[in-house]
């Protein structure tokens, strides 16, 4: 009985950790999310956007090719019966307060909302922040390939289609490719639309993580409103928006491969720092050792108690008290 107890303690095993069991894949991926560092994230975002802008604007403008591609896009939309950009552009332009608001929407919310969602993720969902940030970075990175391979003029720069450049007409600040800012931005990098790529990233992130129903609704409405704005201001074709959606899908695939899970399925909070885990593990090991020792002592006591009541082969019961130190006198048989 005692042997069985001791064996069960010595041979005890614990289930292997999934991270240890899948160590090779864990080394290839980012591993368990850690709490992001605020200054590193600010620097990373700033440098990444600066690099993105530098590369985007360094892509050869190829004006003639960009105009030919715009004509092809327009004919393709007409063949589908969905060339509605011209009608929307002229209809919204007739309402001055509306088109001016859209100009400022196009110029500002693209950055404000995106940064706001990143801050919300950082503060409220630190365990998911890195995965969602990876989606955004991968989406933006692959868009550069589109700018290089497929230069495209926006509708407002097409020849003979009579689109209205709403920023120039209403003299508002609303486009990096109009007015005085057009010399510092590539005007022929319209495919894919990162206004749609980023706004859809914001909208899906809010929809997937927010608890309040009204927040989820706003999350879905934001990319829809952005689609109306980019078409009404003649900055993009609706097919540019499709390109932005494809880029976003690529970004989610990259994040899924890297983290082994969809971003919103990752834990909301981060795990403790490695030092804290090590200290916690030592405490648990000590407690386990103490408990095992206590259990062994208890088992030994129980074994001793049980053996005190063992009967001899002759049928007499032995006196098994551990406290007895004197032997009982024998009774003479008379021989």
């Amino acid at each position: 009985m005692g042997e069985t107890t001791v064996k069960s303690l010595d041979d005890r095993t614990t289930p292997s950790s999934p991270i240890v069991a899948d160590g090779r894949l864990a080394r290839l991926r980012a591993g368990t999310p850690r709490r992001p560092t605020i200054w590193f994230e600010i620097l990373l975002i700033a440098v990444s956007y600066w690099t993105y802008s530098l590369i985007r604007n360094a892509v050869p403008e190829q004006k003639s090719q960009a105009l030919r591609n715009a004509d092809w896009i327009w004919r393709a939309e007409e063949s589908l019966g969905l060339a509605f950009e011209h009608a929307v552009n002229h209809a919204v332009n007739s309402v001055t307060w509306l088109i001016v608001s859209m100009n400022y929407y196009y110029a500002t919310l693209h950055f404000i909302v995106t940064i706001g969602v990143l801050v919300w993720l950082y503060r409220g969902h630190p365990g998911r922040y890195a995965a969602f940030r990876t989606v955004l970075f991968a989406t933006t990175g692959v868009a550069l390939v589109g700018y290089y391979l497929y230069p495209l003029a926006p509708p407002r720069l097409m020849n003979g289609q009579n689109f209205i450049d709403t920023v120039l007409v209403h003299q508002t600040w609303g486009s990096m490719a109009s007015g005085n800012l057009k010399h510092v931005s590539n005007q022929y990098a319209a495919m894919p639309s990162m206004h749609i790529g980023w706004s859809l990233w914001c909208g899906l992130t809010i929809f997937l993580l927010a608890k309040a129903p009204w927040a989820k609704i706003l999350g879905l409405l934001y990319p829809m409103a952005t689609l109306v704005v980019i078409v009404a201001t003649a900055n993009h074709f609706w097919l540019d928006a499709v390109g932005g959606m494809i880029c976003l899908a690529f970004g989610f695939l990259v994040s899924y491969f890297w983290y082994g899970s969809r971003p919103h399925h990752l834990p909301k909070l981060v795990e403790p720092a490695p030092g804290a885990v090590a200290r916690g593990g030592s405490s648990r090991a000590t407690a386990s050792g103490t408990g095992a020792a206590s259990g062994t002592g208890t088992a030994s006591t129980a074994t001793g108690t049980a053996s005190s009541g063992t009967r001899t082969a002759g049928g007499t019961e032995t006196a098994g008290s551990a406290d007895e130190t004197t032997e009982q006198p024998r009774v003479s048989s008379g021989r």
Side-chain angles (χ1 to χ4, degrees), residues 24-56:
R24 291 182 217 170
L25 188 57
R27 284 194 294 272
L28 290 175
R29 290 173 174 161
T32 305
R34 301 295 180 188
R35 177 171 292 279
T37 304
I38 182 63
W39 295 114
F40 172 79
E41 293 299 327
I42 292 175
L43 180 63
L44 179 63
I45 292 171
V47 171
S48 298
Y49 184 74
W50 175 80
T51 304
Y52 162 78
S53 300
L54 185 67
I55 296 175
R56 179 179 184 270

Side-chain angles (χ1 to χ4, degrees), residues 74 77-78 81-90 163 227 231 237-239:
W74 185 244
E77 292 187 351
E78 285 182 326
L82 296 173
F84 51 76
E85 290 90 344
H86 187 276
V88 174
N89 175 235
H90 281 257
F163 279 96
L227 177 60
V231 169
F237 297 98
W238 66 263
L239 279 176

Side-chain angles (χ1 to χ4, degrees), residues 283-298:
S283 300
R284 287 192 297 273
T286 302
S288 175
T290 302
S294 175
T296 304
T298 304

Side-chain angles (χ1 to χ4, degrees), residues 232-251:
T233 56
N235 280 295
H236 287 283
F237 297 98
W238 66 263
L239 279 176
D240 300 343
V242 175
M245 295 176 188
I246 294 173
C247 290
L248 182 64
F250 173 81

Side-chain angles (χ1 to χ4, degrees), residues 62-244:
Q62 304 178 37
K63 179 179 179 180
S64 59
Q65 183 61 46
L67 290 172
R68 285 195 297 270
N69 289 340
D71 290 336
W72 186 91
I73 290 284
W74 185 244
R75 289 194 301 270
E77 292 187 351
E78 285 182 326
S79 66
L80 294 172
L82 296 173
F84 51 76
E85 290 90 344
H86 187 276
V88 174
N89 175 235
H90 281 257
V92 178
N93 184 70
S94 64
V95 183
T96 302
W97 68 267
L98 181 58
I99 193 61
V100 169
S101 299
M102 287 188 175
N103 286 340
Y104 288 120
Y105 179 114
Y106 184 88
T108 60
L109 292 190
H110 180 54
F111 302 101
I112 294 174
V113 176
T114 304
I115 293 174
V117 172
L118 282 170
V119 172
W120 174 62
L121 282 170
Y122 180 89
R123 292 177 59 87
H125 300 264
R128 298 162 179 162
Y129 171 85
F132 275 103
R133 186 244 289 142
T134 299
V135 174
L136 183 63
F137 278 31
T139 299
T140 307
V142 75
L144 294 173
V145 179
Y147 299 148
Y148 184 84
L149 297 178
Y150 197 80
L152 180 67
R156 58 187 175 76
L157 294 181
M158 291 179 67
N159 296 323
Q161 298 300 332
N162 195 30
F163 279 96
I164 301 171
D165 189 332
T166 59
V167 171
L168 292 179
V169 169
H170 297 279
Q171 299 181 351
T172 57
W173 180 77
S175 174
M176 289 290 290
S178 296
N180 296 328
L181 297 176
K182 65 183 179 181
H183 301 294
V184 297
S185 178
N186 184 358
Q187 299 186 72
Y188 303 105
M191 171 67 84
S193 169
M194 279 299 94
H195 271 75
I196 290 299
W198 287 16
S199 66
L200 189 56
W201 175 84
C202 292
L204 288 176
T205 301
I206 294 171
F207 177 78
L208 291 171
L209 299 184
K211 294 182 179 179
W214 61 266
K216 291 180 177 291
I217 293 172
L218 287 179
L220 295 179
L221 290 178
Y222 175 55
M224 296 179 188
T226 301
L227 177 60
V228 175
V229 167
I230 66 173
V231 169
T233 56
N235 280 295
H236 287 283
F237 297 98
W238 66 263
L239 279 176
D240 300 343
V242 175

